[in-house]
């Protein structure tokens, strides 16, 4: 019984985190880019592209990794800047996806509660290879995929026991 | 109108400038800095400018010198006296907002933001400077 209750609590916590993440992502895309972005039922395996990682520390610790394809990264950069960028290696793309991840995590943690909102965010670390930079001691994380226009991306979110 | 935008992200500096223009703010010159220390240098060298700055927008979480340290040092050196500073950041916890206000910030905008939010929080501050 205890195990069932604990599992139920964990599921409820995960669902709540997903709901807040969905809302945070919808807010960022709508407010900053005028686009609709919705969660997908299935978790997608992202094609080779870019990775952005941000850690949060304080009373609430963990991290978030955003995985997106080159075309999704380019589309978000163009939408943020309101202009087209033809060069897929333009450093502005790295900058833009870093800010995208920063805004998503910031919005998400502010929705969770005052302790979480007070957590400090690290500077986003962007890589053009898919790799995880998360602390191995952290609990199992949550992964969710999203779609905007005809592009998709995935987010891996992990919260540590403090 | 002249403004200073402080953010370690070049993309965000462009986004903020575009939002100001979309909000109807007539910018004649936009100075930029990628952290608080650079911004202080800009303010020090801008003290003799013919047209003074009318607005400063600053991120909080930046390398080298963050937005709060910038506010405190600007106050200490009495740079750009009377020019309103608006913080634009993802860091929106109440203690941080209170610290920013105590250090001299006149407004706060949370990322993600809309042009309407920029208009509502920035335009009245500019008007109050112009009419002062």
């Amino acid at each position: 019984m205890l195990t069932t209750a604990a599992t139920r609590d964990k599921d409820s916590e995960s669902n709540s985190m997903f709901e807040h993440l969905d809302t945070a992502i919808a807010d960022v895309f709508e407010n900053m880019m005028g686009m609709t972005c919705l969660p997908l039922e299935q978790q997608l395996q992202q094609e080779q592209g870019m990775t952005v990682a941000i850690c949060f520390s304080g009373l609430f610790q963990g991290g978030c990794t955003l995985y997106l394809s080159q075309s999704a990264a380019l589309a978000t950069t163009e939408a943020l800047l309101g202009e087209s960028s033809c060069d897929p290696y333009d450093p502005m793309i790295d900058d833009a996806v870093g800010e995208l991840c920063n805004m998503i995590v910031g919005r998400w943690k502010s929705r969770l509660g005052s302790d979480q909102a007070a957590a400090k965010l690290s500077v986003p670390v962007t890589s053009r290879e898919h790799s995880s930079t998360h602390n191995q001691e952290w609990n199992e994380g949550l992964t969710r995929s999203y779609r905007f226009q005809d592009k998709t991306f995935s987010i891996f979110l992990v919260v540590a026991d403090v | 109108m002249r403004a200073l935008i402080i953010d370690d992200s070049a993309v965000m500096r462009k986004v903020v400038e575009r939002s100001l223009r979309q909000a109807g703010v007539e910018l004649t010159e936009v100075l930029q800095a990628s952290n608080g220390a650079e911004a202080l240098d800009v303010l020090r060298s801008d003290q003799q400018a013919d047209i003074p700055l009318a607005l400063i927008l600053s991120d909080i979480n930046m390398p080298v010198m963050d937005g709060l340290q910038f506010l405190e040092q600007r106050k200490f050196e009495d740079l750009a006296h009377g020019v309103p500073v608006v913080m634009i950041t993802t860091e929106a916890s109440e203690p941080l907002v209170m610290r920013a206000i105590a250090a001299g910030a006149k407004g706060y905008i949370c990322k993600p933001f809309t042009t309407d939010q920029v208009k509502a929080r920035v335009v009245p501050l500019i008007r109050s400077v112009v009419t002062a």
Side-chain angles (χ1 to χ4, degrees):
Chain A
M1 288 295 282
L2 276 174
T3 306
T4 308
T7 305
R8 206 167 40 233
D9 284 350
K10 197 169 169 57
D11 286 349
S12 168
E13 194 180 317
S14 298
N15 286 337
S16 172
M17 281 200 178
F18 273 148
E19 281 174 24
H20 288 306
L21 185 62
D22 293 348
T23 306
I25 288 173
D27 285 351
V28 171
F29 274 77
E30 177 64 36
N31 291 346
M32 301 301 292
M33 295 175 261
M35 293 195 289
T36 302
C37 184
L38 296 169
L40 297 171
E41 291 294 326
Q42 289 181 315
Q43 185 185 317
L44 301 177
Q45 185 69 39
Q46 290 297 317
E47 64 187 84
Q48 191 70 19
M50 299 183 74
T51 304
V52 191
I54 286 183
C55 295
F56 30 95
S57 57
L59 291 174
F60 179 64
Q61 296 185 1
C64 172
T65 307
L66 178 68
Y67 300 94
L68 67 179
S69 65
Q70 198 71 53
S71 63
L74 187 60
T76 51
T77 304
E78 290 178 345
L80 267 175
L81 291 173
E83 58 192 48
S84 56
S85 167
C86 297
D87 179 6
Y89 294 99
D90 187 340
M92 290 293 261
I93 297 174
D94 302 63
D95 187 345
V97 295
E99 274 303 309
L100 175 68
C101 190
N102 189 39
M103 286 189 283
I104 289 171
V105 179
R107 187 66 156 185
W108 170 74
K109 78 179 175 74
S110 72
R111 295 183 57 83
L112 296 177
S114 55
D115 282 352
Q116 290 88 341
K120 191 161 173 56
L121 298 185
S122 70
V123 173
V125 177
T126 306
S127 165
R128 288 187 181 248
E129 296 170 2
H130 280 336
S131 60
S132 174
T133 55
H134 290 312
N135 189 325
Q136 295 301 308
E137 291 174 5
W138 288 348
N139 289 343
E140 190 179 333
L142 310 168
T143 304
R144 185 105 142 158
S145 296
Y146 294 84
R147 179 184 298 278
F148 66 97
Q149 296 175 334
D150 61 341
K151 310 285 191 294
T152 61
F153 64 92
S154 296
I155 281 194
F156 175 72
L157 196 58
V158 62
V159 176
D161 289 326
V162 180
Chain B
M1 198 201 89
R2 299 171 74 236
L4 167 62
I5 299 174
I6 313 163
D7 199 306
D8 55 323
S9 162
V11 168
M12 281 314 300
R13 294 197 299 268
K14 286 186 91 165
V15 170
V16 170
E17 181 179 343
R18 193 178 56 153
S19 292
L20 285 172
R21 292 185 192 282
Q22 286 174 341
V25 178
E26 289 181 20
L27 295 168
T28 53
E29 187 182 9
V30 178
L31 306 179
Q32 298 192 16
S34 62
N35 60 60
E38 267 186 27
L40 290 169
D41 284 342
V42 169
L43 293 184
R44 288 179 196 119
S45 60
D46 197 60
Q47 290 186 89
Q48 304 304 320
D50 292 339
I51 303 169
L53 280 172
L55 177 69
I56 300 172
L57 295 125
S58 178
D59 188 13
I60 287 187
N61 193 10
M62 295 179 286
V64 185
M65 180 186 279
D66 68 27
L68 293 174
Q69 292 170 312
F70 162 73
L71 284 173
E72 285 158 1
Q73 189 61 28
R74 169 188 170 259
K75 198 173 178 181
F76 178 74
E77 293 186 42
D78 197 24
L79 293 166
H81 184 82
V83 179
V85 183
V86 177
M87 310 311 282
I88 300 191
T89 179
T90 53
E91 303 285 342
S93 68
E94 197 178 332
L96 210 58
V97 174
M98 299 306 287
R99 235 186 106 188
I101 299 295
K106 297 290 182 199
Y108 219 92
I109 297 171
C110 292
K111 297 177 200 171
F113 54 82
T114 62
T115 299
D116 285 346
Q117 287 168 340
V118 172
K119 191 173 185 175
R121 288 170 200 175
V122 169
V123 172
L125 288 174
I126 300 168
R127 284 206 186 114
S128 70
V129 170
V130 171
T131 55

